[in-house]
Amino acid sequence: MELDKDRCIKMNDGNKIPALGFGTYSPDALWSTFHRPELVRSCLEQSLKKLKFDYLDLFIIHNPMSLKPGTDTLPKDENGKFIFDVVDLRQTWEAMEACKDAGLVKSIGVSNFNIRQLEMILNKPGLKYKPVLNQVECHPYLNQGKLLAFCKSKDILLEAYCVLGSQRDKMWIDQSTPVLLEDPVLGAVAKKYNRSPALVALRYQLQRGIVVLFKSYTRKRIEENFQVFDFQLSEEDMKTIDGMNKNRSYVRLEQFLGHPQLYTDE
């Protein structure tokens, strides 16, 4: 991954993205209830109106799982189970391409897609634009090595969320998972460089060629995290952190297990 002087990376469509971004996830945002192709542009236009923007730099399909369209962003039945919608995501992608052609977005991508779901888009007849990136959960306990290699082979960036593994939203995060930043292996590497475990976790991803999103509510930590460009991990220490991988996800996906579009690469 080559960074320019602004610490940005060029994507496969020629546009640039910062290598390090500040996470602003909100659980009540617009998302998987607008996958039907006829709803894609209206969803985008609603967001543009709220943001008071003329266009977005990046517009992504947030999940490969579609939910029932409507005003409820988390539609559930009387048993508390999600109400799904079956949508051909290739058609969703065509609607995304149309938004790009209309000048409403500069770049389009996906999120939480596995290899087979990416291939479904890439092998779509008449594909006009391939995804510029795939945004997924990625941290030393879930380093996404196989997916990263595939994305690199297709000139698709991997963008990581939950990089510090420390956001504990009870709705989405498995509360039984260990706290990544308290891991003794990560702590030992951090001590060696006189840095915080968080900084080491962020630097690890940057050196793998991954775009990093981090989230914090503390000004001091936000400022500290931007010091990630001030040091470099050795190849040996990169391998040490690679060895922390447990294929362990913080995000609870079992809520989606009944969805016909959800499957894994393993």
Side-chain angles (χ1 to χ4, degrees), residues 124-150:
K124 186 188 77 66
L127 180 70
K128 194 167 186 179
Y129 307 112
K130 65 181 180 180
V132 294
L133 60 74
N134 182 22
Q135 183 187 107
V136 297
E137 177 184 358
C138 187
H139 45 75
Y141 285 164
L142 182 69
N143 69 23
Q144 301 280 16
K146 183 178 177 182
L147 182 61
L148 175 60
F150 176 83

Side-chain angles (χ1 to χ4, degrees), residues 116-131:
R116 280 175 282 182
Q117 290 160 344
L118 284 171
E119 288 178 326
M120 176 183 66
I121 300 296
L122 294 172
N123 297 331
K124 186 188 77 66
L127 180 70
K128 194 167 186 179
Y129 307 112
K130 65 181 180 180

